[in-house]
Amino acid sequence: MNQRNRKPNRDTKRDNKRDFRKDDYKGRAPKRKPEPETNNRPEQQDDFVIGKHAVYETLQSERDINKLFLQEGIGGEKIGEILELAKERQIQITIVPKTKLDLLSDNGVHQGVMLATAAFQYATLDDLFAVAKEKGEDPFFVILDGIEDPHNLGSVLRTADASGVHGVIIPKRRAVGLTGTVAKTSTGAIEHVPVVRVTNLARTIEELKERGVWIYATDMKGQTYEKWDANLPVAVIIGNEGKGVSRLLKDSADGLLTIPMKGHVQSLNASVAAGLMMYEVYRKRNFG
């Protein structure tokens, strides 16, 4: 299979201040008078990032942050590091009872810490190509066809960051977007893997082809992914949790890939299938 003639890629460019004493940063949030309980949620216009690792990674990013919430009396080394970062960025810090965090996170596993942030920013296709160009690598993208479970999307982003994927492409309709749950599940990878949200996946695939990318879809009738030549600019389509890749997108693909299975259940969780594909590309590109 010959590599497409790729077009040149376009380069793209990608308070309240609370003055805590030094002693406040020795791994414990200072005591503050709890805020009164209320059913009103004035912060509901914000997106939330919950969990120690996700919050820490977000604080290290360039993302706009409105406020840091800490559970009263919470402590530990990671909390101290979070406080230091928040102080450096002059982010408002509010100490609240656990019940307040439970309310804001819809009873999520917040670990006593939460950020109210500006809306998650989506990338463009040009951004993805720019990441690959900056690293001096052939583009490698993951296309998610209607993934609805935020935990699956978060897991895909986490593995994408670990395996060197240059970006993830998702549809705007009938699919989960970038949410606080996705951020929590990704353990901060959401800040490092650009995500493009498009109106029409089929049209986007045609544009990728025009720009020299080979498109592969996962399907039970495809060739085994172990024989796949991934040393090309490639994008892999991972299907919906229940229906798989849509017929239209499979027809648009250059090839179909399958994951051999010996068990009785002939399907894998979407994030698991995506993980196998991503690491196959990583293995072939780095170890032959």
Side-chain angles (χ1 to χ4, degrees):
M1 185 178 290
N2 295 324
Q3 183 171 337
R4 300 185 198 277
N5 293 323
R6 288 176 288 164
K7 297 181 180 179
N9 299 327
R10 289 182 290 169
D11 288 328
T12 59
K13 291 185 175 180
R14 258 199 76 114
D15 332 15
N16 295 328
K17 178 179 177 182
R18 186 182 296 279
D19 199 7
F20 285 100
R21 297 189 305 272
K22 184 176 181 180
D23 290 344
D24 290 337
Y25 290 87
K26 293 182 179 179
R28 183 164 295 279
K31 292 276 186 177
R32 290 292 183 272
K33 184 178 179 181
E35 294 183 356
E37 290 295 330
T38 175
N39 290 326
N40 296 325
R41 295 181 59 174
E43 298 88 0
Q44 64 184 356
Q45 72 272 17
D46 297 313
D47 283 327
F48 293 106
V49 175
I50 65 175
K52 296 176 184 178
H53 293 290
V55 165
Y56 182 79
E57 289 294 331
T58 303
L59 284 168
Q60 288 190 309
S61 73
E62 297 181 357
R63 183 132 172 249
D64 291 334
I65 298 171
N66 299 326
K67 185 184 292 187
L68 169 66
F69 293 95
L70 286 178
Q71 181 178 317
E72 184 179 18
I74 193 75
E77 181 179 354
K78 182 60 70 173
I79 294 297
E81 294 173 353
I82 287 171
L83 282 167
E84 289 285 0
L85 285 173
K87 180 183 178 182
E88 290 174 7
R89 294 190 57 175
Q90 299 185 1
I91 293 167
Q92 179 182 351
I93 302 171
T94 302
I95 309 303
V96 297
K98 180 177 181 296
T99 52
K100 174 75 170 183
L101 295 182
D102 291 341
L103 175 65
L104 293 176
S105 67
D106 292 326
N107 293 309
V109 185
H110 51 71
Q111 300 177 308
V113 59
M114 172 185 291
L115 287 176
T117 68
F120 287 95
Q121 296 298 310
Y122 290 96
T124 67
L125 281 182
D126 285 336
D127 293 331
L128 270 58
F129 280 96
V131 170
K133 183 176 181 180
E134 182 180 352
K135 293 182 178 181
E137 300 171 348
D138 282 328
F140 174 33
F141 309 138
V142 172
I143 301 171
L144 301 179
D145 181 17
I147 299 299
E148 299 174 343
D149 185 344
H151 297 91
N152 273 340
L153 177 54
S155 295
V156 168
L157 293 177
R158 185 174 182 176
T159 307
D161 180 52
S163 60
V165 173
H166 301 123
V168 173
I169 301 169
I170 63 175
K172 288 183 179 179
R173 299 180 60 191
R174 294 186 292 275
V176 67
L178 298 182
T179 67
T181 301
V182 172
K184 173 69 166 59
T185 307
S186 78
T187 62
I190 194 172
E191 302 295 341
H192 305 290
V193 179
V195 177
V196 179
R197 202 178 193 191
V198 301
T199 303
N200 189 310
L201 278 180
R203 190 176 304 138
T204 299
I205 286 171
E206 290 307 312
E207 180 178 346
L208 290 173
K209 287 182 176 182
E210 291 173 2
R211 298 178 71 163
V213 178
W214 292 89
I215 310 296
Y216 293 87
T218 52
D219 185 78
M220 291 181 62
K221 297 181 180 180
Q223 67 168 332
T224 175
Y225 78 111
E226 296 166 327
K227 298 180 180 180
W228 170 36
D229 181 6
N231 292 301
L232 298 167
V234 295
V236 181
I237 308 172
I238 303 297
N240 172 277
E241 292 92 343
K243 301 176 182 177
V245 178
S246 67
R247 171 56 58 186
L248 176 62
L249 297 191
K250 281 193 285 190
D251 290 344
S252 300
D254 295 302
L256 302 178
L257 302 172
T258 189
I259 300 170
M261 288 176 277
K262 293 184 177 180
H264 299 287
V265 179
Q266 293 299 302
S267 64
L268 293 173
N269 174 277
S271 64
V272 173
L276 287 169
M277 293 295 178
M278 287 186 271
Y279 265 99
E280 183 66 8
V281 176
Y282 177 83
R283 183 184 70 82
K284 281 182 164 67
R285 290 188 173 188
N286 292 276
F287 304 104

mmCIF file of all heavy atoms in Angstrom, residues 231-263:
data_model
loop_
_atom_site.group_PDB
_atom_site.id
_atom_site.type_symbol
_atom_site.label_atom_id
_atom_site.label_comp_id
_atom_site.label_asym_id
_atom_site.label_seq_id
_atom_site.Cartn_x
_atom_site.Cartn_y
_atom_site.Cartn_z
ATOM 1 N N ASN A 231 2.697 2.071 9.904
ATOM 2 C CA ASN A 231 3.776 3.024 9.684
ATOM 3 C C ASN A 231 3.428 4.002 8.564
ATOM 4 O O ASN A 231 4.207 4.220 7.632
ATOM 5 C CB ASN A 231 5.078 2.280 9.366
ATOM 6 C CG ASN A 231 5.577 1.515 10.572
ATOM 7 O OD1 ASN A 231 5.845 2.091 11.628
ATOM 8 N ND2 ASN A 231 5.687 0.203 10.429
ATOM 9 N N LEU A 232 2.241 4.552 8.645
ATOM 10 C CA LEU A 232 1.714 5.518 7.695
ATOM 11 C C LEU A 232 0.928 6.556 8.480
ATOM 12 O O LEU A 232 0.622 6.352 9.659
ATOM 13 C CB LEU A 232 0.764 4.827 6.704
ATOM 14 C CG LEU A 232 1.324 3.736 5.789
ATOM 15 C CD1 LEU A 232 0.161 2.987 5.138
ATOM 16 C CD2 LEU A 232 2.215 4.342 4.725
ATOM 17 N N PRO A 233 0.575 7.666 7.879
ATOM 18 C CA PRO A 233 -0.384 8.562 8.545
ATOM 19 C C PRO A 233 -1.723 7.826 8.648
ATOM 20 O O PRO A 233 -2.313 7.468 7.632
ATOM 21 C CB PRO A 233 -0.479 9.758 7.587
ATOM 22 C CG PRO A 233 0.746 9.680 6.731
ATOM 23 C CD PRO A 233 1.044 8.226 6.596
ATOM 24 N N VAL A 234 -2.206 7.562 9.858
ATOM 25 C CA VAL A 234 -3.401 6.754 10.023
ATOM 26 C C VAL A 234 -4.384 7.378 11.011
ATOM 27 O O VAL A 234 -4.005 8.138 11.900
ATOM 28 C CB VAL A 234 -3.072 5.320 10.503
ATOM 29 C CG1 VAL A 234 -2.281 4.566 9.454
ATOM 30 C CG2 VAL A 234 -2.332 5.350 11.837
ATOM 31 N N ALA A 235 -5.650 7.009 10.819
ATOM 32 C CA ALA A 235 -6.707 7.316 11.772
ATOM 33 C C ALA A 235 -7.534 6.054 11.944
ATOM 34 O O ALA A 235 -7.863 5.389 10.964
ATOM 35 C CB ALA A 235 -7.582 8.469 11.289
ATOM 36 N N VAL A 236 -7.853 5.714 13.195
ATOM 37 C CA VAL A 236 -8.618 4.507 13.498
ATOM 38 C C VAL A 236 -9.987 4.901 14.030
ATOM 39 O O VAL A 236 -10.092 5.732 14.935
ATOM 40 C CB VAL A 236 -7.897 3.640 14.549
ATOM 41 C CG1 VAL A 236 -8.697 2.385 14.842
ATOM 42 C CG2 VAL A 236 -6.507 3.279 14.077
ATOM 43 N N ILE A 237 -11.030 4.298 13.457
ATOM 44 C CA ILE A 237 -12.394 4.572 13.894
ATOM 45 C C ILE A 237 -12.816 3.499 14.897
ATOM 46 O O ILE A 237 -12.782 2.304 14.600
ATOM 47 C CB ILE A 237 -13.385 4.569 12.718
ATOM 48 C CG1 ILE A 237 -12.904 5.484 11.596
ATOM 49 C CG2 ILE A 237 -14.773 4.999 13.195
ATOM 50 C CD1 ILE A 237 -13.751 5.383 10.328
ATOM 51 N N ILE A 238 -13.226 3.943 16.092
ATOM 52 C CA ILE A 238 -13.742 3.047 17.126
ATOM 53 C C ILE A 238 -15.250 3.291 17.234
ATOM 54 O O ILE A 238 -15.703 4.429 17.339
ATOM 55 C CB ILE A 238 -13.075 3.305 18.486
ATOM 56 C CG1 ILE A 238 -11.551 3.169 18.360
ATOM 57 C CG2 ILE A 238 -13.623 2.358 19.539
ATOM 58 C CD1 ILE A 238 -11.069 1.801 17.980
ATOM 59 N N GLY A 239 -16.023 2.212 17.225
ATOM 60 C CA GLY A 239 -17.467 2.346 17.156
ATOM 61 C C GLY A 239 -18.172 2.535 18.484
ATOM 62 O O GLY A 239 -17.579 2.382 19.558
ATOM 63 N N ASN A 240 -19.439 2.834 18.386
ATOM 64 C CA ASN A 240 -20.336 2.983 19.517
ATOM 65 C C ASN A 240 -20.344 1.720 20.380
ATOM 66 O O ASN A 240 -20.154 0.615 19.884
ATOM 67 C CB ASN A 240 -21.743 3.274 18.976
ATOM 68 C CG ASN A 240 -22.801 3.262 20.045
ATOM 69 O OD1 ASN A 240 -23.301 2.210 20.406
ATOM 70 N ND2 ASN A 240 -23.147 4.429 20.533
ATOM 71 N N GLU A 241 -20.586 1.895 21.694
ATOM 72 C CA GLU A 241 -20.530 0.791 22.642
ATOM 73 C C GLU A 241 -21.443 -0.374 22.252
ATOM 74 O O GLU A 241 -21.111 -1.536 22.481
ATOM 75 C CB GLU A 241 -20.916 1.282 24.042
ATOM 76 C CG GLU A 241 -19.913 2.225 24.677
ATOM 77 C CD GLU A 241 -20.206 3.694 24.401
ATOM 78 O OE1 GLU A 241 -20.993 3.968 23.460
ATOM 79 O OE2 GLU A 241 -19.647 4.570 25.087
ATOM 80 N N GLY A 242 -22.586 -0.087 21.644
ATOM 81 C CA GLY A 242 -23.514 -1.155 21.310
ATOM 82 C C GLY A 242 -23.580 -1.501 19.838
ATOM 83 O O GLY A 242 -23.661 -2.669 19.471
ATOM 84 N N LYS A 243 -23.506 -0.481 18.978
ATOM 85 C CA LYS A 243 -23.730 -0.700 17.549
ATOM 86 C C LYS A 243 -22.452 -0.828 16.732
ATOM 87 O O LYS A 243 -22.495 -1.239 15.579
ATOM 88 C CB LYS A 243 -24.558 0.452 16.990
ATOM 89 C CG LYS A 243 -25.911 0.616 17.656
ATOM 90 C CD LYS A 243 -26.651 1.834 17.124
ATOM 91 C CE LYS A 243 -27.980 2.021 17.831
ATOM 92 N NZ LYS A 243 -28.688 3.245 17.363
ATOM 93 N N GLY A 244 -21.326 -0.458 17.308
ATOM 94 C CA GLY A 244 -20.082 -0.504 16.541
ATOM 95 C C GLY A 244 -19.985 0.669 15.584
ATOM 96 O O GLY A 244 -20.698 1.670 15.698
ATOM 97 N N VAL A 245 -19.107 0.549 14.605
ATOM 98 C CA VAL A 245 -18.910 1.613 13.609
ATOM 99 C C VAL A 245 -20.074 1.600 12.627
ATOM 100 O O VAL A 245 -20.497 0.537 12.157
ATOM 101 C CB VAL A 245 -17.575 1.419 12.860
ATOM 102 C CG1 VAL A 245 -17.392 2.503 11.795
ATOM 103 C CG2 VAL A 245 -16.405 1.427 13.836
ATOM 104 N N SER A 246 -20.587 2.765 12.315
ATOM 105 C CA SER A 246 -21.721 2.855 11.392
ATOM 106 C C SER A 246 -21.322 2.392 9.997
ATOM 107 O O SER A 246 -20.156 2.469 9.598
ATOM 108 C CB SER A 246 -22.239 4.294 11.329
ATOM 109 O OG SER A 246 -21.278 5.138 10.718
ATOM 110 N N ARG A 247 -22.298 1.908 9.235
ATOM 111 C CA ARG A 247 -22.063 1.413 7.880
ATOM 112 C C ARG A 247 -21.452 2.487 6.994
ATOM 113 O O ARG A 247 -20.543 2.225 6.210
ATOM 114 C CB ARG A 247 -23.377 0.916 7.279
ATOM 115 C CG ARG A 247 -23.321 0.566 5.792
ATOM 116 C CD ARG A 247 -22.248 -0.475 5.485
ATOM 117 N NE ARG A 247 -22.461 -1.691 6.239
ATOM 118 C CZ ARG A 247 -21.606 -2.706 6.245
ATOM 119 N NH1 ARG A 247 -20.468 -2.609 5.571
ATOM 120 N NH2 ARG A 247 -21.867 -3.790 6.947
ATOM 121 N N LEU A 248 -21.936 3.717 7.110
ATOM 122 C CA LEU A 248 -21.418 4.803 6.285
ATOM 123 C C LEU A 248 -19.921 5.010 6.506
ATOM 124 O O LEU A 248 -19.158 5.158 5.542
ATOM 125 C CB LEU A 248 -22.171 6.104 6.604
ATOM 126 C CG LEU A 248 -21.682 7.372 5.880
ATOM 127 C CD1 LEU A 248 -21.836 7.211 4.373
ATOM 128 C CD2 LEU A 248 -22.450 8.596 6.381
ATOM 129 N N LEU A 249 -19.493 4.989 7.750
ATOM 130 C CA LEU A 249 -18.072 5.213 8.036
ATOM 131 C C LEU A 249 -17.227 4.007 7.632
ATOM 132 O O LEU A 249 -16.102 4.162 7.159
ATOM 133 C CB LEU A 249 -17.872 5.536 9.513
ATOM 134 C CG LEU A 249 -18.542 6.813 10.022
ATOM 135 C CD1 LEU A 249 -18.037 7.142 11.421
ATOM 136 C CD2 LEU A 249 -18.300 7.988 9.076
ATOM 137 N N LYS A 250 -17.771 2.801 7.803
ATOM 138 C CA LYS A 250 -17.028 1.613 7.360
ATOM 139 C C LYS A 250 -16.829 1.638 5.841
ATOM 140 O O LYS A 250 -15.768 1.268 5.338
ATOM 141 C CB LYS A 250 -17.752 0.338 7.783
ATOM 142 C CG LYS A 250 -17.539 -0.019 9.235
ATOM 143 C CD LYS A 250 -17.997 -1.420 9.578
ATOM 144 C CE LYS A 250 -19.494 -1.532 9.654
ATOM 145 N NZ LYS A 250 -19.926 -2.828 10.221
ATOM 146 N N ASP A 251 -17.850 2.074 5.126
ATOM 147 C CA ASP A 251 -17.731 2.168 3.668
ATOM 148 C C ASP A 251 -16.736 3.231 3.251
ATOM 149 O O ASP A 251 -16.169 3.170 2.161
ATOM 150 C CB ASP A 251 -19.106 2.468 3.058
ATOM 151 C CG ASP A 251 -20.060 1.291 3.162
ATOM 152 O OD1 ASP A 251 -19.593 0.164 3.420
ATOM 153 O OD2 ASP A 251 -21.281 1.505 3.002
ATOM 154 N N SER A 252 -16.530 4.229 4.110
ATOM 155 C CA SER A 252 -15.593 5.304 3.794
ATOM 156 C C SER A 252 -14.148 4.939 4.127
ATOM 157 O O SER A 252 -13.216 5.620 3.684
ATOM 158 C CB SER A 252 -15.968 6.580 4.580
ATOM 159 O OG SER A 252 -17.271 7.015 4.248
ATOM 160 N N ALA A 253 -13.966 3.866 4.891
ATOM 161 C CA ALA A 253 -12.628 3.504 5.365
ATOM 162 C C ALA A 253 -11.802 2.853 4.259
ATOM 163 O O ALA A 253 -12.329 2.255 3.328
ATOM 164 C CB ALA A 253 -12.736 2.557 6.555
ATOM 165 N N ASP A 254 -10.482 2.955 4.400
ATOM 166 C CA ASP A 254 -9.560 2.290 3.476
ATOM 167 C C ASP A 254 -9.398 0.815 3.811
ATOM 168 O O ASP A 254 -8.975 0.030 2.969
ATOM 169 C CB ASP A 254 -8.192 2.974 3.524
ATOM 170 C CG ASP A 254 -8.243 4.399 3.008
ATOM 171 O OD1 ASP A 254 -8.643 4.593 1.849
ATOM 172 O OD2 ASP A 254 -7.896 5.323 3.771
ATOM 173 N N GLY A 255 -9.705 0.446 5.044
ATOM 174 C CA GLY A 255 -9.571 -0.941 5.448
ATOM 175 C C GLY A 255 -10.288 -1.194 6.758
ATOM 176 O O GLY A 255 -10.611 -0.268 7.502
ATOM 177 N N LEU A 256 -10.570 -2.476 7.033
ATOM 178 C CA LEU A 256 -11.233 -2.875 8.272
ATOM 179 C C LEU A 256 -10.281 -3.721 9.109
ATOM 180 O O LEU A 256 -9.544 -4.556 8.572
ATOM 181 C CB LEU A 256 -12.507 -3.670 7.969
ATOM 182 C CG LEU A 256 -13.570 -2.965 7.115
ATOM 183 C CD1 LEU A 256 -14.750 -3.899 6.876
ATOM 184 C CD2 LEU A 256 -14.036 -1.679 7.784
ATOM 185 N N LEU A 257 -10.306 -3.508 10.405
ATOM 186 C CA LEU A 257 -9.421 -4.219 11.320
ATOM 187 C C LEU A 257 -10.243 -4.945 12.365
ATOM 188 O O LEU A 257 -11.247 -4.423 12.855
ATOM 189 C CB LEU A 257 -8.477 -3.239 12.023
ATOM 190 C CG LEU A 257 -7.578 -2.380 11.131
ATOM 191 C CD1 LEU A 257 -6.865 -1.333 11.979
ATOM 192 C CD2 LEU A 257 -6.566 -3.248 10.390
ATOM 193 N N THR A 258 -9.816 -6.148 12.726
ATOM 194 C CA THR A 258 -10.501 -6.897 13.763
ATOM 195 C C THR A 258 -9.514 -7.329 14.836
ATOM 196 O O THR A 258 -8.307 -7.479 14.567
ATOM 197 C CB THR A 258 -11.208 -8.136 13.177
ATOM 198 O OG1 THR A 258 -12.037 -8.719 14.189
ATOM 199 C CG2 THR A 258 -10.207 -9.180 12.697
ATOM 200 N N ILE A 259 -10.015 -7.524 16.031
ATOM 201 C CA ILE A 259 -9.209 -8.006 17.154
ATOM 202 C C ILE A 259 -9.597 -9.464 17.399
ATOM 203 O O ILE A 259 -10.740 -9.751 17.781
ATOM 204 C CB ILE A 259 -9.474 -7.174 18.417
ATOM 205 C CG1 ILE A 259 -9.114 -5.702 18.162
ATOM 206 C CG2 ILE A 259 -8.693 -7.718 19.604
ATOM 207 C CD1 ILE A 259 -9.556 -4.757 19.271
ATOM 208 N N PRO A 260 -8.700 -10.418 17.153
ATOM 209 C CA PRO A 260 -9.036 -11.828 17.325
ATOM 210 C C PRO A 260 -9.442 -12.131 18.769
ATOM 211 O O PRO A 260 -8.828 -11.631 19.712
ATOM 212 C CB PRO A 260 -7.725 -12.548 16.961
ATOM 213 C CG PRO A 260 -6.960 -11.559 16.149
ATOM 214 C CD PRO A 260 -7.322 -10.220 16.691
ATOM 215 N N MET A 261 -10.484 -12.936 18.942
ATOM 216 C CA MET A 261 -10.962 -13.308 20.270
ATOM 217 C C MET A 261 -11.322 -14.780 20.300
ATOM 218 O O MET A 261 -11.868 -15.306 19.340
ATOM 219 C CB MET A 261 -12.180 -12.442 20.642
ATOM 220 C CG MET A 261 -11.846 -10.998 20.966
ATOM 221 S SD MET A 261 -13.307 -9.982 21.300
ATOM 222 C CE MET A 261 -13.806 -9.574 19.625
ATOM 223 N N LYS A 262 -11.010 -15.427 21.416
ATOM 224 C CA LYS A 262 -11.295 -16.854 21.561
ATOM 225 C C LYS A 262 -12.468 -17.122 22.500
ATOM 226 O O LYS A 262 -12.968 -18.235 22.572
ATOM 227 C CB LYS A 262 -10.059 -17.581 22.106
ATOM 228 C CG LYS A 262 -8.888 -17.610 21.127
ATOM 229 C CD LYS A 262 -7.741 -18.433 21.700
ATOM 230 C CE LYS A 262 -6.585 -18.534 20.711
ATOM 231 N NZ LYS A 262 -5.459 -19.331 21.259
ATOM 232 N N GLY A 263 -12.873 -16.122 23.239
ATOM 233 C CA GLY A 263 -13.918 -16.329 24.237
ATOM 234 C C GLY A 263 -15.306 -16.403 23.643
ATOM 235 O O GLY A 263 -15.515 -16.339 22.431
#
